[in-house]
């Protein structure tokens, strides 16, 4: 069994930045595609970014140009740099790992989530 632990969430003003981290407990996660999802109150969980095991990034249109996903396989960690944050980015952000870049259900591993709140 593996584990994903997110960190870096918090409260930020609109226009500000945050960097989320997702630490994987096992080196085998380096062979997984990694992704970030978010869930706002009353809404379904949505995909926002993914990075393949080889480093190719993918983004949802809602965050393209503002968010950057990256991974450091030596540290078993995936990052989500979030710039130009908007109040509508407020959500619980989840890290995920999956063997399929499509991240179709059921996803192999989920983190516990970290809250991001953007004030206007």
């Amino acid at each position: 069994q593996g584990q994903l632990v997110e960190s870096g969430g918090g409260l930020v003003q609109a226009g500000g930045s945050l960097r989320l981290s997702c630490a994987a407990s096992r080196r085998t996660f380096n062979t997984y595609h990694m992704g970030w999802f978010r869930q706002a109150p009353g809404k379904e969980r949505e995909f926002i970014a993914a990075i393949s095991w080889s480093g190719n990034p993918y983004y949802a249109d809602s965050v393209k140009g503002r968010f950057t996903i990256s991974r450091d396989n030596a540290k078993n960690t995936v990052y989500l740099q979030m710039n130009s944050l908007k109040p509508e980015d407020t959500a619980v952000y989840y890290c995920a790992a999956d063997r399929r870049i499509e991240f179709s259900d059921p996803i192999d591993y989920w983190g516990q989530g970290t809250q991001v709140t953007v004030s206007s």
Side-chain angles (χ1 to χ4, degrees):
Q1 282 285 30
Q3 190 176 14
L4 303 174
V5 179
E6 301 98 333
S7 61
L11 174 65
V12 64
Q13 288 189 332
S17 298
L18 281 175
R19 188 176 81 155
L20 305 183
S21 299
C22 171
S25 61
R26 299 187 312 178
R27 194 164 190 82
T28 52
F29 279 108
N30 291 343
T31 63
Y32 280 73
H33 307 302
M34 302 297 293
W36 288 95
F37 292 71
R38 67 186 180 189
Q39 187 167 20
K43 295 188 177 181
E44 293 189 355
R45 191 174 298 186
E46 65 170 338
F47 164 82
I48 54 173
I51 186 165
S52 69
W53 66 266
S54 59
N56 294 317
Y58 304 88
Y59 299 97
D61 289 343
S62 59
V63 304
K64 200 172 293 184
R66 299 188 299 124
F67 291 9
T68 303
I69 189 170
S70 61
R71 65 190 300 163
D72 184 340
N73 287 341
K75 296 182 178 180
N76 298 340
T77 301
V78 176
Y79 304 98
L80 185 69
Q81 178 66 43
M82 306 186 295
N83 298 329
S84 302
L85 283 162
K86 305 174 182 180
E88 51 263 44
D89 293 318
T90 295
V92 177
Y93 283 69
Y94 296 91
C95 178
D98 202 71
R99 291 289 194 186
R100 301 151 295 177
I101 194 59
E102 296 83 8
F103 280 88
S104 53
D105 286 331
I107 290 173
D108 292 335
Y109 295 96
W110 286 103
Q112 83 288 351
T114 186
Q115 176 70 46
V116 171
T117 303
V118 184
S119 63
S120 57

